[in-house]
Amino acid sequence: MLIVMKAGATEAQIDDVLSVIEQLGYKAHPMPGATRTAIGITGNQATIDPSHFETLPGVAEAIRVSKPYKLITLDLRPDKTVVRVGDATIGGDELAIIAGPCAVESRAQAFAVAESVRRSGARFFRGGAFKPRTSPYAFQGLGEEGLRILAEIRDVYGLKIVTEALDENGVDLVERYGDVIQIGARSMQNFSLLRRAGKARLPVLLKRGLSATLDEWLLAAEYVMSEGNYQVILCERGIRTFAQHTRNTMDLAAVPAVRRISHLPVIVDPSHGTGKNFMVTPLARAGVAVGADGLIIEVHDQPEHALSDGAQALTVEQYEELVREVRAIHEVITPAPVS
Ligand code: PEP
Ligand code: MN
């Protein structure tokens, strides 16, 4: 059920609706918008009788939701969500650029890349301290030591830190050292992790699973939001297909597909989306052209020596050129403000 308040509804009327929802034993999710507040209801197994709400003062409509998602949808929030990380945003007017190595390998490596990321004007630094590797024998990341290096980069360069949590304990650690919790493709349906991230005080960057449909991906976001964390960024990172010319097939159509259904920002990851250095810049351009709110890009100071994902890492020079190109595209496709 979705309660749409009248445009002029008062705070007290909204609070009344919230308390009725809670008295019924459900969870209320108020979403203030530019013109009106809507309130999503979760926690109900059976359908809710709209007559509980229809006659309450300030209520415009009580709408039964027939779709599987309740909180990610434009029905609840017609305005786009702008995720705020300090003074940086994802989903607003600015093209968000998140860049850095696949994994934090050493202080020297992370700082060398951060220097370039800062110079490019990007606001976010990525780097895994806990790596979800296919093989248990591959480099697993520096763990908490890696997080300490990331926290230092934040202090020195003022970049916001995006880093992956592999499990619930990882969320505690990212909350301590980072700014955005990345949930990787392999964890997209780790429901206990999603619920824990939903209780976190940091935004969540939710990658699409390797074989996830759009609905499965959006429902994973719904898990996070249903716990009360509405700061979710979706990330298309390529899915597995029969194609052999790429590591994954980057599904650019996912961007307009998400837009049609959800208010959440959506970014693209052409690094994992292609797996190949020479394809990253072309697909980054394409991602911005189809309307992504941002990009996440892997960069390494010495890609040939990278401990993970070296084949898709850009050199710092390639990365800086990419940023110039995608900024130009973003400027062209962004409608000028109405004056
Ligand atoms: C990563 O960002 O380095 C990563 C492991 O990504 P994904 O979960 O999309 O494979
Ligand atoms: Mn990687």
Side-chain angles (χ1 to χ4, degrees), residues 240-273:
R240 191 154 290 183
T241 68
F242 51 81
Q244 290 175 326
H245 56 286
T246 49
R247 180 180 180 189
N248 293 293
T249 296
M250 197 162 127
D251 176 16
L252 288 172
V255 175
V258 167
R259 279 272 186 281
R260 176 156 286 215
I261 300 173
S262 180
H263 52 82
L264 294 175
V266 55
I267 70 166
V268 298
D269 174 350
S271 304
H272 296 87

XYZ file of all heavy atoms in Angstrom, residues 240-273:
264
model
N 26.346 -12.027 -17.528
C 26.975 -13.118 -18.265
C 26.087 -13.536 -19.435
O 24.899 -13.782 -19.252
C 27.176 -14.289 -17.316
C 28.041 -15.312 -17.945
C 28.770 -16.126 -16.941
N 29.808 -15.433 -16.209
C 30.563 -16.079 -15.334
N 30.362 -17.353 -15.077
N 31.510 -15.440 -14.686
N 26.674 -13.569 -20.617
C 25.944 -14.023 -21.804
C 26.843 -15.000 -22.550
O 27.906 -15.360 -22.051
C 25.610 -12.838 -22.740
O 26.841 -12.345 -23.296
C 24.901 -11.710 -22.009
N 26.448 -15.361 -23.758
C 27.290 -16.269 -24.556
C 28.434 -15.525 -25.246
O 29.267 -16.134 -25.902
C 26.446 -17.004 -25.607
C 25.607 -16.074 -26.433
C 26.163 -15.392 -27.512
C 24.268 -15.860 -26.117
C 25.391 -14.521 -28.265
C 23.507 -14.980 -26.870
C 24.067 -14.312 -27.947
N 28.501 -14.219 -25.113
C 29.548 -13.450 -25.796
C 30.930 -13.836 -25.270
O 31.121 -13.991 -24.072
C 29.305 -11.962 -25.595
N 31.860 -13.974 -26.169
C 33.224 -14.346 -25.761
C 34.216 -13.214 -25.981
O 35.384 -13.350 -25.656
C 33.668 -15.587 -26.533
C 32.893 -16.814 -26.071
C 33.198 -18.044 -26.892
O 33.447 -17.946 -28.087
N 33.159 -19.196 -26.257
N 33.721 -12.122 -26.562
C 34.644 -11.015 -26.863
C 34.752 -10.048 -25.693
O 35.505 -9.090 -25.757
C 34.180 -10.283 -28.128
C 32.769 -9.769 -28.038
N 31.667 -10.603 -28.111
C 32.294 -8.525 -27.842
C 30.576 -9.871 -27.965
N 30.915 -8.618 -27.799
N 33.968 -10.275 -24.653
C 34.024 -9.428 -23.462
C 33.960 -10.321 -22.228
O 33.514 -11.464 -22.309
C 32.802 -8.478 -23.384
O 31.620 -9.261 -23.586
C 32.877 -7.355 -24.395
N 34.374 -9.771 -21.080
C 34.275 -10.533 -19.827
C 32.805 -10.682 -19.430
O 32.369 -11.708 -18.929
C 35.051 -9.759 -18.749
C 35.050 -10.401 -17.390
C 35.839 -9.549 -16.390
N 35.855 -10.155 -15.074
C 36.303 -9.564 -13.986
N 36.808 -8.322 -14.053
N 36.277 -10.160 -12.820
N 32.060 -9.581 -19.601
C 30.625 -9.560 -19.333
C 29.976 -8.738 -20.440
O 30.668 -8.029 -21.163
C 30.324 -8.895 -17.992
C 30.843 -9.709 -16.819
O 30.355 -10.798 -16.561
N 31.862 -9.208 -16.134
N 28.667 -8.809 -20.540
C 27.969 -7.992 -21.536
C 27.337 -6.820 -20.799
O 26.466 -7.014 -19.941
C 26.893 -8.829 -22.262
O 27.556 -9.875 -22.976
C 26.100 -7.980 -23.237
N 27.804 -5.630 -21.117
C 27.296 -4.464 -20.391
C 25.925 -4.101 -20.958
O 25.804 -3.742 -22.131
C 28.271 -3.305 -20.526
C 28.009 -2.253 -19.498
S 29.428 -1.196 -19.326
C 28.641 0.358 -19.541
N 24.931 -4.209 -20.129
C 23.545 -4.032 -20.568
C 23.162 -2.555 -20.424
O 22.589 -2.147 -19.420
C 22.658 -4.948 -19.706
C 21.187 -4.786 -20.011
O 20.846 -4.214 -21.067
O 20.375 -5.239 -19.172
N 23.471 -1.804 -21.459
C 23.204 -0.361 -21.376
C 21.714 -0.053 -21.335
O 21.306 0.976 -20.790
C 23.857 0.360 -22.556
C 25.380 0.449 -22.478
C 25.943 0.992 -23.774
C 25.807 1.325 -21.304
N 20.916 -0.949 -21.894
C 19.460 -0.731 -21.868
C 18.928 -0.752 -20.435
O 17.814 -0.275 -20.175
C 18.765 -1.789 -22.710
N 19.726 -1.300 -19.527
C 19.285 -1.308 -18.122
C 19.103 0.120 -17.593
O 18.283 0.347 -16.702
C 20.291 -2.059 -17.257
N 19.874 1.062 -18.144
C 19.791 2.433 -17.606
C 18.403 3.044 -17.866
O 17.709 3.407 -16.911
C 20.944 3.327 -18.130
C 20.781 4.768 -17.665
C 22.293 2.760 -17.691
N 17.967 3.136 -19.130
C 16.599 3.655 -19.324
C 15.526 2.744 -18.724
O 14.467 3.220 -18.309
C 16.449 3.771 -20.844
C 17.565 2.986 -21.433
C 18.664 2.936 -20.418
N 15.811 1.430 -18.650
C 14.816 0.514 -18.060
C 14.619 0.825 -16.575
O 13.497 0.864 -16.075
C 15.256 -0.933 -18.256
N 15.710 1.077 -15.867
C 15.606 1.437 -14.442
C 14.879 2.767 -14.302
O 13.980 2.916 -13.466
C 17.005 1.539 -13.780
C 16.923 2.222 -12.423
C 17.642 0.165 -13.641
N 15.289 3.724 -15.133
C 14.694 5.067 -15.083
C 13.179 5.075 -15.157
O 12.508 5.884 -14.552
C 15.144 5.887 -16.293
C 16.434 6.491 -16.204
C 16.348 7.864 -15.547
N 17.651 8.449 -15.624
C 18.644 8.129 -14.813
N 18.429 7.330 -13.780
N 19.841 8.618 -14.992
N 12.668 4.151 -15.979
C 11.221 4.111 -16.194
C 10.493 3.638 -14.941
O 9.333 3.950 -14.727
C 10.923 3.189 -17.374
C 9.457 3.007 -17.605
C 9.174 2.627 -19.001
N 9.330 3.769 -19.904
C 8.566 3.959 -20.968
N 7.603 3.118 -21.248
N 8.749 4.986 -21.748
N 11.186 2.884 -14.093
C 10.526 2.271 -12.940
C 10.904 2.944 -11.627
O 10.087 3.055 -10.720
C 10.939 0.777 -12.852
C 10.533 0.028 -14.124
C 10.317 0.109 -11.626
C 11.062 -1.399 -14.195
N 12.179 3.383 -11.535
C 12.702 3.747 -10.219
C 13.233 5.171 -10.151
O 13.734 5.713 -11.131
C 13.827 2.772 -9.840
O 14.351 3.101 -8.577
N 13.169 5.708 -8.943
C 13.730 7.040 -8.679
C 15.205 6.958 -8.291
O 15.856 7.978 -8.082
C 12.945 7.718 -7.547
C 12.815 6.869 -6.315
N 13.810 6.779 -5.376
C 11.828 6.037 -5.903
C 13.438 5.923 -4.429
N 12.234 5.456 -4.727
N 15.734 5.739 -8.146
C 17.112 5.604 -7.661
C 18.114 5.963 -8.757
O 17.894 5.671 -9.925
C 17.374 4.161 -7.207
C 16.583 3.697 -5.993
C 16.849 2.208 -5.739
C 16.933 4.518 -4.752
N 19.239 6.558 -8.374
C 20.280 6.822 -9.371
C 20.875 5.517 -9.898
O 20.933 4.521 -9.173
C 21.343 7.617 -8.610
C 20.971 7.615 -7.185
C 19.590 7.067 -7.029
N 21.308 5.552 -11.147
C 21.921 4.361 -11.739
C 23.225 4.766 -12.427
O 23.263 5.745 -13.165
C 20.933 3.610 -12.665
C 20.360 4.500 -13.741
C 21.583 2.383 -13.301
N 24.274 4.040 -12.097
C 25.580 4.307 -12.710
C 26.031 3.063 -13.475
O 25.433 1.997 -13.322
C 26.645 4.715 -11.661
C 27.032 3.528 -10.769
C 26.159 5.885 -10.804
C 28.300 3.778 -9.953
N 27.064 3.222 -14.293
C 27.555 2.058 -15.024
C 29.040 1.823 -14.743
O 29.785 2.758 -14.451
C 27.296 2.148 -16.549
C 25.811 2.214 -16.847
C 28.036 3.287 -17.185
N 29.428 0.556 -14.870
C 30.793 0.110 -14.600
C 31.338 -0.541 -15.867
O 31.197 -1.754 -16.064
C 30.758 -0.898 -13.435
C 32.106 -1.542 -13.160
O 33.043 -1.385 -13.963
O 32.219 -2.243 -12.136
N 31.941 0.270 -16.741
C 32.445 -0.313 -17.994
C 33.714 -1.131 -17.785
O 34.141 -1.826 -18.708
C 32.708 0.915 -18.875
C 32.934 2.032 -17.931
C 32.162 1.714 -16.678
N 34.319 -1.079 -16.600
C 35.521 -1.882 -16.341
C 35.134 -3.358 -16.226
O 35.600 -4.195 -17.001
C 36.221 -1.396 -15.070
O 36.523 -0.020 -15.169
N 34.241 -3.675 -15.266
C 33.769 -5.063 -15.161
C 32.815 -5.383 -16.306
O 32.667 -6.525 -16.699
C 33.106 -5.307 -13.807
C 34.080 -5.153 -12.686
N 34.325 -3.932 -12.110
C 34.921 -6.033 -12.085
C 35.267 -4.082 -11.189
N 35.641 -5.337 -11.155
N 32.170 -4.358 -16.827
C 31.196 -4.547 -17.914
C 31.832 -5.038 -19.204
O 31.132 -5.605 -20.056
